[in-house]
Amino acid sequence: MIKTMRLLGIAGIAATGLFMTACNKGAPKLETQKDKVSYIIGQNIGRSFKQQNLEADLIDLKKLSAGIEDALAGKEGPISQEQM
């Protein structure tokens, strides 16, 4: 349960960072269903982070993206489950 809450907190921080990055680049083009779904997921994560008062500057967006990609690909990352 603690690991899950910690992961949700990290995900929230990540979403906020992604949201802030998107804001700096202007409104994203949402042309496909995939674009729209991806943006909606990011918004939901960002709102969750905001509700938890998580700061966007606490995460590295490139590392966050790499972690998400590894998890979706079923790869083991450089940090073990026990270390999380």
Side-chain angles (χ1 to χ4, degrees):
M1 182 67 165
I2 292 174
K3 288 182 186 179
T4 301
M5 294 302 292
R6 189 177 299 165
L7 290 175
L8 288 174
I10 291 169
I13 293 169
T16 302
L18 291 171
F19 175 74
M20 296 303 288
T21 300
C23 287
N24 291 335
K25 295 180 181 178
K29 293 183 180 181
L30 304 177
E31 299 172 349
T32 67
Q33 187 66 21
K34 180 179 177 180
D35 293 343
K36 293 172 186 175
V37 169
S38 298
Y39 186 80
I40 290 167
I41 291 169
Q43 282 282 304
N44 287 335
I45 293 170
R47 286 186 192 112
S48 173
F49 287 166
K50 189 172 182 176
Q51 289 174 347
Q52 296 176 49
N53 296 318
L54 299 173
E55 301 289 329
D57 62 343
L58 296 176
I59 60 163
D60 180 324
L61 295 178
K62 290 181 182 181
K63 301 291 187 296
L64 170 69
S65 179
I68 291 170
E69 289 176 13
D70 286 350
L72 290 173
K75 294 181 183 177
E76 287 194 31
I79 300 174
S80 71
Q81 288 293 323
E82 292 79 27
Q83 293 173 311
M84 292 184 196

